[in-house]
Coordinates of all heavy atoms in Angstrom, one line a residue:
T46 N 9.9 -0.7 21.0 CA 11.3 -0.8 21.0 C 11.8 0.3 19.9 O 11.0 0.7 19.1 CB 11.8 -2.1 20.5 OG1 11.4 -2.4 19.2 CG2 11.4 -3.2 21.5
L47 N 13.1 0.6 19.9 CA 13.5 1.5 18.9 C 13.3 0.9 17.5 O 13.0 1.7 16.5 CB 15.0 1.8 19.1 CG 15.3 2.5 20.5 CD1 16.8 2.6 20.8 CD2 14.7 4.0 20.4
E48 N 13.5 -0.4 17.3 CA 13.2 -1.0 16.0 C 11.8 -0.9 15.6 O 11.5 -0.6 14.4 CB 13.6 -2.5 16.1 CG 15.1 -2.8 16.2 CD 15.6 -2.6 17.7 OE1 14.7 -2.5 18.6 OE2 16.8 -2.5 17.9
E49 N 10.9 -1.0 16.6 CA 9.4 -0.9 16.3 C 9.1 0.6 15.9 O 8.3 0.8 15.0 CB 8.6 -1.3 17.5 CG 8.6 -2.8 17.6 CD 7.9 -3.3 18.9 OE1 7.9 -2.6 19.9 OE2 7.3 -4.4 18.8
L50 N 9.7 1.5 16.6 CA 9.5 2.9 16.3 C 10.0 3.2 14.9 O 9.3 3.9 14.1 CB 10.2 3.9 17.3 CG 9.6 4.0 18.6 CD1 10.6 4.7 19.6 CD2 8.3 4.8 18.5
D51 N 11.1 2.6 14.5 CA 11.6 2.8 13.1 C 10.6 2.2 12.1 O 10.3 2.8 11.1 CB 13.0 2.1 13.0 CG 13.5 2.2 11.6 OD1 13.1 1.4 10.7 OD2 14.2 3.2 11.3
R52 N 10.0 1.1 12.5 CA 9.1 0.4 11.5 C 7.9 1.3 11.3 O 7.4 1.5 10.2 CB 8.7 -0.9 12.1 CG 8.7 -2.0 11.1 CD 8.3 -3.4 11.7 NE 7.0 -3.8 11.2 CZ 6.3 -4.8 11.7 NH1 6.7 -5.3 12.9 NH2 5.2 -5.1 11.2
V53 N 7.3 1.9 12.4 CA 6.1 2.7 12.2 C 6.5 4.0 11.5 O 5.8 4.4 10.5 CB 5.5 3.1 13.6 CG1 4.3 3.9 13.4 CG2 5.2 1.8 14.4
C54 N 7.6 4.6 11.8 CA 8.0 5.8 11.1 C 8.2 5.5 9.6 O 7.7 6.2 8.7 CB 9.3 6.4 11.6 SG 9.2 7.1 13.3
S55 N 8.8 4.4 9.3 CA 9.1 4.0 7.9 C 7.8 3.8 7.2 O 7.6 4.1 6.0 CB 10.0 2.8 7.8 OG 11.2 3.1 8.5
A56 N 6.8 3.2 7.9 CA 5.5 2.9 7.2 C 4.8 4.3 6.9 O 4.2 4.4 5.8 CB 4.6 2.2 8.2
F57 N 5.0 5.3 7.7 CA 4.4 6.6 7.4 C 5.2 7.2 6.2 O 4.6 7.9 5.4 CB 4.5 7.5 8.6 CG 3.3 7.4 9.5 CD1 3.3 6.5 10.6 CD2 2.1 8.1 9.3 CE1 2.2 6.4 11.5 CE2 1.0 8.0 10.1 CZ 1.0 7.1 11.2
I58 N 6.5 7.0 6.2 CA 7.3 7.6 5.1 C 6.8 7.0 3.8 O 6.7 7.7 2.8 CB 8.8 7.4 5.4 CG1 9.2 8.3 6.6 CG2 9.6 7.8 4.2 CD1 10.6 7.9 7.2
T59 N 6.6 5.7 3.8 CA 6.1 5.1 2.6 C 4.8 5.7 2.1 O 4.5 5.8 0.9 CB 5.7 3.6 2.9 OG1 6.8 3.0 3.5 CG2 5.4 2.8 1.7
R60 N 4.0 6.3 3.0 CA 2.7 6.9 2.7 C 2.8 8.4 2.5 O 1.8 9.1 2.5 CB 1.7 6.6 3.8 CG 1.5 5.1 4.1 CD 0.8 4.4 3.0 NE -0.5 4.8 2.8 CZ -1.6 4.4 3.5 NH1 -1.4 3.6 4.5 NH2 -2.8 4.8 3.2
G61 N 4.0 8.9 2.3 CA 4.2 10.3 1.9 C 4.5 11.3 3.1 O 4.5 12.5 2.8
V62 N 4.8 10.7 4.3 CA 5.3 11.7 5.3 C 6.7 12.1 5.0 O 7.6 11.3 4.7 CB 5.2 11.0 6.7 CG1 6.1 11.7 7.7 CG2 3.7 11.0 7.2
K63 N 6.9 13.5 5.0 CA 8.1 14.0 4.6 C 8.9 14.6 5.8 O 10.1 15.0 5.6 CB 7.9 15.2 3.6 CG 7.2 14.8 2.3 CD 8.2 14.0 1.5 CE 7.6 13.5 0.2 NZ 8.3 12.3 -0.3
K64 N 8.3 14.8 6.9 CA 9.0 15.4 8.0 C 8.7 14.6 9.3 O 7.5 14.3 9.6 CB 8.5 16.8 8.2 CG 9.0 17.5 9.4 CD 8.8 19.0 9.3 CE 9.2 19.7 10.6 NZ 9.1 21.2 10.5
I65 N 9.7 14.3 10.0 CA 9.5 13.6 11.3 C 10.2 14.4 12.4 O 11.4 14.8 12.2 CB 10.1 12.1 11.3 CG1 9.2 11.3 10.3 CG2 10.2 11.5 12.7 CD1 9.6 9.8 10.3
R66 N 9.5 14.6 13.5 CA 10.1 15.3 14.6 C 10.0 14.3 15.8 O 9.0 13.8 16.2 CB 9.2 16.6 15.0 CG 9.8 17.3 16.2 CD 9.0 18.5 16.5 NE 9.1 19.5 15.4 CZ 10.2 20.3 15.2 NH1 11.2 20.2 16.1 NH2 10.2 21.1 14.2
L67 N 11.2 14.1 16.4 CA 11.3 13.3 17.6 C 11.1 14.2 18.8 O 11.7 15.3 18.9 CB 12.6 12.6 17.7 CG 13.0 11.7 16.5 CD1 14.3 11.0 16.7 CD2 11.9 10.7 16.2
T68 N 10.2 13.8 19.7 CA 10.0 14.7 20.9 C 9.7 13.8 22.0 O 10.0 12.6 22.1 CB 8.8 15.7 20.5 OG1 8.5 16.5 21.6 CG2 7.6 15.0 19.9
G69 N 9.0 14.3 23.1 CA 8.7 13.5 24.2 C 7.7 14.3 25.1 O 7.0 15.1 24.7
G70 N 7.9 14.0 26.4 CA 9.0 13.8 27.2 C 10.3 14.4 26.6 O 10.2 15.3 25.8
E71 N 11.4 14.0 27.1 CA 12.7 14.5 26.6 C 13.3 13.4 25.7 O 13.7 12.4 26.2 CB 13.6 14.9 27.7 CG 15.0 15.3 27.3 CD 15.1 16.3 26.1 OE1 14.3 17.3 26.0 OE2 15.9 16.1 25.2
P72 N 13.3 13.7 24.3 CA 13.7 12.6 23.4 C 15.2 12.2 23.7 O 15.5 11.0 23.5 CB 13.6 13.3 22.0 CG 13.6 14.7 22.3 CD 12.9 14.9 23.6
L73 N 16.0 13.1 24.2 CA 17.4 12.7 24.4 C 17.7 11.9 25.7 O 18.8 11.5 25.9 CB 18.3 13.9 24.3 CG 18.3 14.6 22.9 CD1 19.3 15.8 22.9 CD2 18.7 13.7 21.8
V74 N 16.6 11.7 26.5 CA 16.8 10.8 27.6 C 16.4 9.3 27.3 O 16.6 8.5 28.1 CB 16.1 11.3 28.9 CG1 16.6 12.6 29.3 CG2 14.6 11.2 28.9
R75 N 15.8 9.1 26.1 CA 15.5 7.7 25.8 C 16.8 7.0 25.5 O 17.6 7.4 24.6 CB 14.5 7.7 24.5 CG 14.3 6.3 23.9 CD 13.2 5.5 24.5 NE 13.2 4.1 24.1 CZ 12.2 3.5 23.5 NH1 11.1 4.1 23.2 NH2 12.3 2.2 23.3
K76 N 17.0 5.8 26.2 CA 18.2 5.1 26.0 C 18.4 4.6 24.6 O 17.4 4.1 24.0 CB 18.1 3.9 27.0 CG 19.4 3.5 27.5 CD 19.2 2.5 28.7 CE 20.5 1.8 28.9 NZ 20.3 0.6 29.7

Side-chain angles (χ1 to χ4, degrees):
T46 63
L47 295 169
E48 292 76 14
E49 287 173 327
L50 283 169
D51 179 274
R52 224 178 114 197
V53 181
C54 290
S55 302
F57 273 96
I58 293 168
T59 310
R60 305 292 295 279
V62 160
K63 296 287 177 210
K64 174 167 175 173
I65 291 184
R66 176 177 300 280
L67 305 181
T68 176
E71 172 48 42
L73 296 181
V74 302
R75 170 90 195 236
K76 213 166 163 199

